[in-house]
Amino acid sequence: MLTAFARAFRTPDLRSKMLFTLGIIALYRLGANLPSPGVSYSAIQTCLAQVQDSSVYGLVNLFSGGALLQLSVFALGIMPYITASIIIQLLVVVIPRLESLKKEGQTGQAKLTQYTRYLTIVLAVLQSTGIVALGRGTPSNLFPQCNLPIIPDESVFRVLTIVVVMTAGTALIMWFGELVTARGVGNGMSIMIFASIIATLPAQVAAVLQTTTTVVSIALGVLALVVVVAVVYVEQAQRRIPVQYAKRMIGRRMYGGTSTYIPLKVNQAGIIPVIFASSLLYLPSLLQQVAPPGGAMAEFIARFLTPGNPVYVLGYFALIMFFTYFYVAITFNPVEVADNMKKYGGFVPGIRPGRPTAEYLDFILSRITLVGALYLGAVAVLPLLALSFTGDEQFPFGGTAVLIIVGVGLETVKQIESQLMLRNYEGFLR
């Protein structure tokens, strides 16, 4: 594998793509550690050391590489773009106009991408305003246990400046991601998330080693290795539905008669259900901060809806199961696939074209989705189960982080390998 990487760097165009991607990642990490104007950097660092990153905004902070709680230029990270993409995908199913754009091919997809960009800016303005509002006051809602002023000057001009800078940072990240997709290696947005999570791993591993005994640390290391291997195995797993195309005579030429397959991945929904479920379960924690202390709502949330509580874990698992089925249902339409196969003379051996094929695909997909939902739920609740061993909310090798790291890593390696195969007929594995 090291020889293959050396060969990749010896290929001029592939080397330029990889260096371009690394350069964009370096600029992204620089902006993630650059404080916004008007934010007290020393106060932020002191408050971060006190709370040990145990904030309820863990998901967004994870996707921003720790930039959120520092109120940096790239504080929002790529999260507004992810949210906008999910919303557009859901609206495509509901709004006929967007559905027709999706069917128009590259032109329609470009229009949907433009709508996603506009929605990203709107969400960035809303989220940056909310984060700045939480950061105001002494103590602030971002760090309730820290009595230092994060934003010393709370004038309207200063607050608007921070909001504009954070929104511009989100737009710049979105541009970085598109540049990597067009001129670099891999999917740009995924690479941005990958870089953010990797940047926080060393600190999280060091924190776990400091707060646990040697035996527990070794056990967690073995568990992390098992989780990574299991995630790689399931992410690569797929059910292949054989498809046969009948021979057709067009003019004087014979077409068709080929055999292919429909690859149905076990994890058809990807990381989206975990993001949906995590976002919903963060709402009670946010409500607890604005609810009157000592009230019935605050007491209920503190008792049942905190990480590590059995009710929280079961609710998290159930939401992931639900959103997995929901997302697969709106992204894969068996009736449409069956109609397209019938239109071009394709059929599944032993199944009649048309409605029987759609019912067969739906039956297979529902069984695969069950396995994928159980897999996502098990990996996502693993950090919550590890709380009893580490006493730390940030278990580094579990849940969302491993799913993203493994998924993005595999896709990026595949792209580099395909580039090598074009030139040397050898990939990473001989």
Side-chain angles (χ1 to χ4, degrees):
M1 182 174 290
L2 294 178
T3 306
F5 273 111
R7 192 183 305 117
F9 272 98
R10 285 197 299 267
T11 306
D13 55 343
L14 188 55
R15 180 178 64 244
S16 63
K17 289 183 178 181
M18 296 175 67
L19 292 177
F20 179 82
T21 303
L22 293 175
I24 292 294
I25 292 175
L27 291 175
Y28 172 60
R29 293 309 306 161
L30 176 63
N33 292 278
L34 189 66
S36 299
V39 176
S40 176
Y41 181 79
S42 59
I44 284 284
Q45 298 304 316
T46 304
C47 292
L48 281 175
Q50 291 181 6
V51 300
Q52 295 293 328
D53 199 21
S54 60
S55 171
V56 297
Y57 316 102
L59 182 69
V60 184
N61 198 45
L62 174 69
F63 283 175
S64 64
L68 171 68
L69 296 182
Q70 298 187 43
L71 296 182
S72 65
V73 175
F74 292 163
L76 301 180
I78 202 64
M79 197 64 180
Y81 184 84
I82 296 175
T83 307
S85 301
I86 294 172
I87 292 175
I88 293 297
Q89 289 183 16
L90 296 177
L91 292 180
V92 165
V93 184
V94 179
I95 302 177
R97 167 61 180 164
L98 297 181
E99 186 177 2
S100 62
L101 284 176
K102 183 180 179 181
K103 296 179 179 179
E104 289 180 4
Q106 187 175 359
T107 304
Q109 190 62 42
K111 201 70 175 178
L112 291 176
T113 303
Q114 188 176 5
Y115 292 156
T116 304
R117 293 170 183 165
Y118 294 153
L119 184 57
T120 299
I121 298 300
V122 173
L123 293 177
V125 172
L126 295 177
Q127 292 184 18
S128 59
T129 304
I131 294 300
V132 172
L134 291 173
R136 298 176 63 186
T138 307
S140 64
N141 288 328
L142 276 179
F143 304 101
Q145 301 174 356
C146 185
N147 292 320
L148 296 177
I150 297 175
I151 305 177
D153 184 6
E154 298 184 0
S155 62
V156 176
F157 175 77
R158 181 62 65 186
V159 170
L160 286 178
T161 301
I162 299 175
V163 170
V164 170
V165 168
M166 288 185 179
T167 304
T170 300
L172 192 59
I173 294 174
M174 184 169 55
W175 182 55
F176 282 169
E178 293 179 354
L179 283 178
V180 171
T181 303
R183 303 181 183 179
V185 177
N187 182 276
M189 302 305 172
S190 301
I191 293 293
M192 297 291 106
I193 302 174
F194 179 84
S196 300
I197 298 176
I198 289 294
T200 60
L201 273 184
Q204 293 180 13
V205 173
V208 170
L209 293 178
Q210 292 176 0
T211 56
T212 57
T213 62
T214 304
V215 176
V216 175
S217 299
I218 295 175
L220 290 177
V222 174
L223 179 61
L225 181 61
V226 172
V227 170
V228 171
V229 172
V231 169
V232 171
Y233 180 77
V234 178
E235 288 293 327
Q236 296 291 91
Q238 58 181 224
R239 169 69 184 273
R240 296 181 175 182
I241 308 296
V243 177
Q244 183 74 34
Y245 284 91
K247 294 183 179 180
R248 295 180 299 170
M249 181 68 73
I250 301 179
R252 295 184 178 181
R253 292 188 176 184
M254 182 75 71
Y255 292 90
T258 58
S259 298
T260 183
Y261 59 88
I262 302 175
L264 297 180
K265 294 184 63 176
V266 173
N267 183 20
Q268 192 83 5
I271 193 65
I272 302 300
V274 179
I275 296 176
F276 276 11
S278 301
S279 301
L280 282 182
L281 286 179
Y282 278 125
L283 292 179
S285 300
L286 296 177
L287 291 176
Q288 185 182 15
Q289 293 192 356
V290 299
M297 178 184 296
E299 183 179 353
F300 177 81
I301 294 174
R303 184 176 180 182
F304 296 106
L305 298 180
T306 55
N309 187 280
V311 176
Y312 182 94
V313 174
L314 291 176
Y316 191 29
F317 190 86
L319 284 175
I320 291 175
M321 294 281 293
F322 169 76
F323 282 122
T324 302
Y325 274 95
F326 175 76
Y327 190 76
V328 170
I330 67 175
T331 55
F332 187 89
N333 189 350
V335 176
E336 183 179 352
V337 174
D339 290 342
N340 290 334
M341 289 170 53
K342 184 178 180 180
K343 183 188 302 183
Y344 294 102
F347 62 93
V348 178
I351 307 296
R352 297 184 61 183
R355 183 175 178 181
T357 299
E359 293 177 350
Y360 175 74
L361 292 176
D362 184 62
F363 173 72
I364 296 296
L365 188 64
S366 62
R367 296 175 64 185
I368 293 178
T369 304
L370 176 62
V371 178
L374 292 174
Y375 150 75
L376 282 177
V379 175
V381 302
L382 180 64
L384 304 179
L385 299 178
L387 284 175
S388 57
F389 296 98
T390 64
D392 193 340
E393 291 188 10
Q394 298 295 330
F395 178 57
F397 291 102
T400 311
V402 169
L403 290 172
I404 294 176
I405 290 174
V406 172
V408 176
L410 288 175
E411 289 300 321
T412 305
V413 169
K414 285 181 180 178
Q415 288 202 17
I416 298 176
E417 185 176 13
S418 64
Q419 294 285 337
L420 289 175
M421 293 282 287
L422 290 175
R423 297 166 176 82
N424 303 297
Y425 302 100
E426 289 183 0
F428 287 107
L429 301 177
R430 297 184 180 180

